[in-house]
């Protein structure tokens, strides 16, 4: 009886320990499979996240809509200010290939130039660069709500290089930054110089120039964090924006509510009928087309003559068929004028 009992115990012990390696092996396989499943799932999630991140900063094409600019994550919080008006809802369903319909005073609007400039800013945002700055405080905006429709877009050149502020036109009824701001700023930045595009208040040339003076003052105060040199700054403008530039070149920043700052080292004035001048006007690059239906070429050329007569350095570029508001001039006889204007400015940039 005792012998049988011992045999029974031995059998139980042998079976128990005999199956333990098998059981352990099965557990290892189960854990391994589970881990592989978890890893695969994690890889899928990571892949999805990567795809989502790449989609976040997807480039625009001329087949996109105006609403795609507003809703693009790179422009979150300020997308409307990239556009022409304070309320752009009527254009949301317009394709970028028809972007010229937003800017009736402008000619030679090239959708490819518009998209290239927007994509440059998307790339900058994607790399962590801040592309939009508000030059008015929250308190100032609360006191004057229309200041909510202002700001500066920054397209960087080389660190510590001088800066330009580009003032797009639009007859003070809209701001043509898409055609006459961002593409020009992109071109300037590609030369190694820094470029801002101002979004100013509509409806009044006085208010718009006050915004420009406030923006210049803001850049001077924050030059170190922005990474710009202030000594040789330039102001650029087209049409209504050229009037703003001309006002600063004539009267200075403080005259429009800004700080007591030097006048621009140079000013670039494109297709405007403004005629003001003085002996201490900033050195000026001036351009217009003979067939401009808004800025009379005779008025422009008279101003060039008057500036030169009082000793102001002026480079004048006359074109024949580019019309009004030609922006970069792509496809017109004015194509390449921005490079000439940059070279003029560079003459006034010291060591």
């Amino acid at each position: 009886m005792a012998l049988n009992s011992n045999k029974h115990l031995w059998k139980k012990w042998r079976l128990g320990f005999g199956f333990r390696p098998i059981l352990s092996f099965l557990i290892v396989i189960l854990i391994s499979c589970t881990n592989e499943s978890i890893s695969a799932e994690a890889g899928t999630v990571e892949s999805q996240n990567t795809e989502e991140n790449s989609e976040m900063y997807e480039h625009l094409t001329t087949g996109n809509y105006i609403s795609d600019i507003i809703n693009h994550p790179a422009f979150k919080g300020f997308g409307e200010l990239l556009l022409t008006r304070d309320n752009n809802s009527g254009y949301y369903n317009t394709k970028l290939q028809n972007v010229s319909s937003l800017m009736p005073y402008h000619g030679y609007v090239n959708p490819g130039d518009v998209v290239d400039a927007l994509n440059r800013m998307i790339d900058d945002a994607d790399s962590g660069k801040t592309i939009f700055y508000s030059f008015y405080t929250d308190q100032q905006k609360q006191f004057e709500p229309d200041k909510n429709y202002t700001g500066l877009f920054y397209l960087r050149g080389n660190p510590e290089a001088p800066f330009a502020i580009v003032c797009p036109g639009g007859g003070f009824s809209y701001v043509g930054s898409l055609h006459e701001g961002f593409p020009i700023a992109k071109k300037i930045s590609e030369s190694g110089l820094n470029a801002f595009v101002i979004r100013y208040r509509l409806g009044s040339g006085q208010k718009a120039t006050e915004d420009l003076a406030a923006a210049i003052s803001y850049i001077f105060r924050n030059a170190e964090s922005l990474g710009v040199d202030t000594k040789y700054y330039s102001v650029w403008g087209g049409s209504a924006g050229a009037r703003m530039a001309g006002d600063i070149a004539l009267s200075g920043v403080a005259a429009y509510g800004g700080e007591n700052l030097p006048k621009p080292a140079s000013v670039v004035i494109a297709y405007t009928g403004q005629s003001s001048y003085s002996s201490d006007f900033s050195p000026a690059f001036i351009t217009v087309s003979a067939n401009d239906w808004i800025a009379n070429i005779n008025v422009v050329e008279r101003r060039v003559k008057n500036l030169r007569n009082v000793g102001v350095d002026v480079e004048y570029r006359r074109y024949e068929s580019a019309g009004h508001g030609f922006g970069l001039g792509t496809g017109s006889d004015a194509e390449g004028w921005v490079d000439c204007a940059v070279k003029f400015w560079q003459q006034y940039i010291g060591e």
Side-chain angles (χ1 to χ4, degrees), residues 26-42:
L26 291 172
I27 291 171
V28 169
I29 291 175
L30 180 62
I31 292 172
S32 175
C33 290
T34 303
N35 286 340
E36 287 179 6
S37 176
I38 292 171
S39 298
E41 184 178 350

Side-chain angles (χ1 to χ4, degrees), residues 51-344:
E51 289 175 6
E52 287 174 4
N53 288 337
S54 66
E55 288 175 3
M56 278 183 63
Y57 294 99
E58 186 176 345
H59 276 184
L60 297 167
T61 72
T62 56
N64 282 106
Y65 292 88
I66 294 297
S67 59
D68 294 325
I69 299 175
I70 304 293
N71 297 322
H72 201 288
F75 306 138
K76 185 177 181 180
F78 53 83
E80 285 281 355
L81 298 181
L82 291 154
L83 304 182
T84 53
R85 294 166 175 79
D86 295 345
N87 182 354
N88 301 280
S89 58
Y91 295 99
Y92 284 176
N93 293 326
T94 301
K95 283 194 172 184
L96 287 175
Q97 65 191 24
N98 299 317
V99 69
S100 61
S101 64
L102 279 70
M103 295 169 282
Y105 299 154
H106 288 83
Y108 284 96
V109 177
N110 186 294
D113 290 340
V114 172
V115 167
D116 285 347
L118 290 170
N119 286 337
R120 158 63 193 278
M121 290 192 285
I122 288 171
D123 288 343
D124 285 353
D126 194 25
S127 65
K129 296 182 178 74
T130 300
I131 60 174
F132 178 77
Y133 294 85
S134 181
F135 54 84
Y136 285 126
T137 65
D138 289 341
Q139 185 177 9
Q140 288 172 313
K141 291 177 183 179
Q142 186 175 9
F143 185 70
E144 295 181 79
D146 57 352
K147 288 181 176 177
N148 283 289
Y149 299 100
T150 64
L152 283 170
F153 293 92
Y154 188 12
L155 285 81
R156 289 167 172 78
N158 295 329
E160 309 307 322
F163 73 90
I165 294 187
V166 181
C167 308
F172 302 116
S173 63
Y174 68 84
V175 182
S177 301
L178 291 169
H179 163 64
E180 202 172 65
F182 307 133
I184 290 175
K186 177 176 177 285
K187 191 75 171 174
I188 293 170
S189 71
E190 289 169 351
S191 73
L193 297 160
N194 295 300
F196 296 88
V197 178
I198 185 170
R199 192 359 170 126
Y200 52 84
R201 287 174 289 174
L202 299 176
S204 164
Q206 175 70 27
K207 284 188 174 183
T209 308
E210 288 172 3
D211 293 341
L212 176 56
I216 295 170
S217 301
Y218 173 87
I219 295 171
F220 267 73
R221 289 196 307 271
N222 296 280
E224 185 175 352
S225 61
L226 292 169
V228 300
D229 174 70
T230 59
K231 190 173 181 181
Y232 305 106
Y233 80 101
S234 184
V235 179
W236 295 46
S239 195
R243 289 180 175 270
M244 297 161 60
D247 288 341
I248 297 297
L250 179 72
S251 303
V253 177
Y256 289 89
E259 296 174 12
N260 187 22
L261 301 174
K263 288 184 177 182
S266 69
V267 63
V268 176
I269 294 174
Y271 37 80
T272 182
Q274 188 182 47
S275 58
S276 57
Y277 68 96
S278 68
S279 60
D280 63 345
F281 201 90
S282 299
F285 181 99
I286 297 177
T287 186
V288 72
S289 178
N291 69 334
D292 193 313
W293 61 89
I294 294 178
N296 186 300
I297 191 168
N298 294 322
V299 175
V300 174
E301 292 186 340
R302 190 179 307 120
R303 187 188 204 185
V304 170
K305 182 179 179 180
N306 288 335
L307 284 167
R308 286 173 172 168
N309 285 343
V310 295
V312 176
D313 184 22
V314 178
E315 180 173 334
Y316 174 53
R317 296 275 174 158
R318 168 180 168 146
Y319 302 102
E320 299 303 317
S321 58
H324 184 77
F326 47 73
L328 289 179
T330 302
S332 77
D333 63 336
E335 188 167 353
W337 79 269
V338 173
D339 292 328
C340 299
V342 168
K343 289 177 182 176
F344 177 82

